[in-house]
Amino acid sequence: MHTHDVDEELVAAAAEVARTRCRGDNHTMAAAARATDGRIVTGVNAYHFTGGPCAELVVVGTAAAQGAYDLRTIVAVGDRDRGVVPPCGRCRQALLDYFPALEVVVPAPGGGLRAGAGTTPSRAGK
């Protein structure tokens, strides 16, 4: 994995959404992504026992609805001060399929955060 400096503004945006918008059991994760044009897009998960969308996938759809079709970096933050949470397997695969060069902010071994491409499984069908 090739790592880069962590986009602290992006992490702060996701943390703020998690703190202010995640309430109860239906919305427990927030995500923020930086588009290549510099804007930040945020979203929260929509939990449902049938498998509602994770916050990262909500952000992908929200970004597209706002005309941001190319994302550079994404991060997910849990409610109740859980901090940065790595994407689940489904999200890792979807993010790779949509944005092969996307950098994902994740907890670093030993503490802190790291950002890098290559945190995803292999491309489906490739």
Side-chain angles (χ1 to χ4, degrees), residues 25-96:
D25 293 334
N26 291 331
H27 308 290
T28 59
M29 293 292 298
R34 186 172 301 276
T36 55
D37 66 8
R39 74 180 119 164
I40 293 176
V41 179
T42 61
V44 298
N45 71 313
Y47 176 79
H48 192 265
F49 73 91
T50 61
C54 295
E56 297 94 329
L57 298 184
V58 171
V59 166
V60 170
T62 300
Q66 295 177 6
Y69 296 102
D70 194 14
L71 302 181
R72 182 172 59 212
T73 309
I74 194 165
V75 63
V77 174
D79 66 348
R80 300 175 186 101
D81 295 319
R82 289 185 289 147
V84 172
V85 177
C88 71
R90 179 180 70 167
C91 286
R92 288 192 326 259
Q93 187 66 61
L95 292 171
L96 176 65

Side-chain angles (χ1 to χ4, degrees), residues 94-115:
L95 292 171
L96 176 65
D97 291 345
Y98 273 84
F99 311 104
L102 182 70
E103 292 193 347
V104 181
V105 177
V106 297
L113 301 173
R114 64 182 177 156

